[in-house]
Amino acid sequence: MSTSTRWTIVVMAVVVALGAAWWTQLGDQGVPSGSPGTVQARDRRDADTAAALAGPRARADLPPCPVGAGPGPATLRGITLECAGDGTSVEVAKAVAGRATVLNLWAYWCGPCAEELPAMAEYQRRAGPAVTVLTVHQDENEEAALLRLSELGVHLPTLQDGRRLVAAALRVPNVMPATVVLRADGSVAEILPRSFASADEIAAAVNQKIGASG
C-alpha cells in the first residue's frame, strides 16, 4: 500500500469519527422545544401539571372552550386537545361544529401573534355569538401561553396544541400567526397565513366568507 493511500485512509477515518461525534452531540442536546419552526413531539411539557397551571389559569381567566353541535368536519375528527382555560379535553371537530369559527394559530414566543391577539379579541367582541374565535397555541409551553394571554388581557377560548395537529389536519402553511376561517358546516372557507393589525382588517377578510357582520 502506498504512502498516499495510507494517508487517504487515515483522513477518511478522522472525518467519519468527527461526524459521528457531532451527530452524537446533536442528539444529546436536542432541539429547543420553543424554537420557531420546530415540530413539537408532545402537546405540553411535563412541568405543566394541573397544579402548576392553576395560578396562570386563574390569571388568564379564559372562557370555556366551545362544545359545538354535530360531528364536525371530518378533517378534524379524532383530534382531542386540552382546553387551556380549564384543562378539560376537547374534541376539536365537535368544538367547531354548528357555528362559524375563526381559528387563530399562534405561539407565546411569536411577536406578530402578540400584536394580533388583541385585535382578535376585539373582533370577537364585535361579532358576538354568531362567530367563535378559538385560538390554538402551537407550542408545548402551556404556562407561557397562559401568562402571555394574561399579559395581553386577551380572554379567548384556547386549545393547547404543542404537536400542531390542527395545522397539519387543515394543511396550514408553517407560519404564525395564521387564521383558518371555518363555515358553520365545518368546511374551510379560507386559510389566511398572515397577521392582522386590527379588528377591522379581520372583519374585512373574514365576514363575507361566512356571512357574518360586525
Side-chain angles (χ1 to χ4, degrees):
M1 183 182 294
S2 67
T3 301
S4 61
T5 301
R6 286 197 298 269
W7 275 111
T8 299
I9 294 172
V10 170
V11 170
M12 290 178 64
V14 170
V15 170
V16 170
L18 289 174
W22 183 82
W23 278 109
T24 299
Q25 182 180 14
L26 180 62
D28 292 340
Q29 290 177 348
V31 179
S33 63
S35 298
T38 61
V39 177
Q40 308 302 326
R42 53 188 180 173
D43 281 333
R44 56 188 171 280
R45 306 174 305 163
D46 293 337
D48 290 330
T49 63
L53 294 176
R57 280 177 175 155
R59 289 173 59 183
D61 191 26
L62 303 181
C65 293
V67 177
T75 51
L76 294 174
R77 291 176 198 167
I79 300 177
T80 299
L81 299 175
E82 181 181 274
C83 182
D86 56 17
T88 58
S89 293
V90 176
E91 294 182 52
V92 180
K94 291 183 178 180
V96 302
R99 180 182 298 173
T101 302
V102 176
L103 294 175
N104 184 239
L105 282 54
W106 68 288
Y108 76 90
W109 42 258
C110 166
C113 300
E115 296 173 1
E116 179 184 72
L117 281 164
M120 282 287 168
E122 174 60 17
Y123 171 75
Q124 175 67 94
R125 187 191 68 78
R126 295 183 189 179
V131 181
T132 295
V133 177
L134 178 61
T135 86
V136 182
H137 181 244
Q138 298 192 129
D139 186 278
E140 65 179 27
N141 193 333
E142 187 173 359
E143 179 183 15
L146 291 165
L147 294 176
R148 178 53 61 93
L149 291 169
S150 174
E151 171 190 309
L152 295 171
V154 170
H155 306 285
L156 291 171
T158 298
L159 297 174
Q160 173 61 27
D161 186 12
R163 289 180 291 166
R164 305 186 185 180
L165 298 177
V166 170
L170 297 176
R171 299 183 180 180
V172 181
N174 189 27
V175 297
M176 282 190 277
T179 295
V180 181
V181 185
L182 300 175
R183 302 181 184 93
D185 64 4
S187 61
V188 175
E190 181 124 18
I191 295 175
L192 301 164
R194 51 162 292 192
S195 61
F196 294 96
S198 68
D200 289 337
E201 283 189 11
I202 298 169
V206 169
N207 286 357
Q208 186 174 2
K209 297 175 177 61
I210 55 176
S213 60

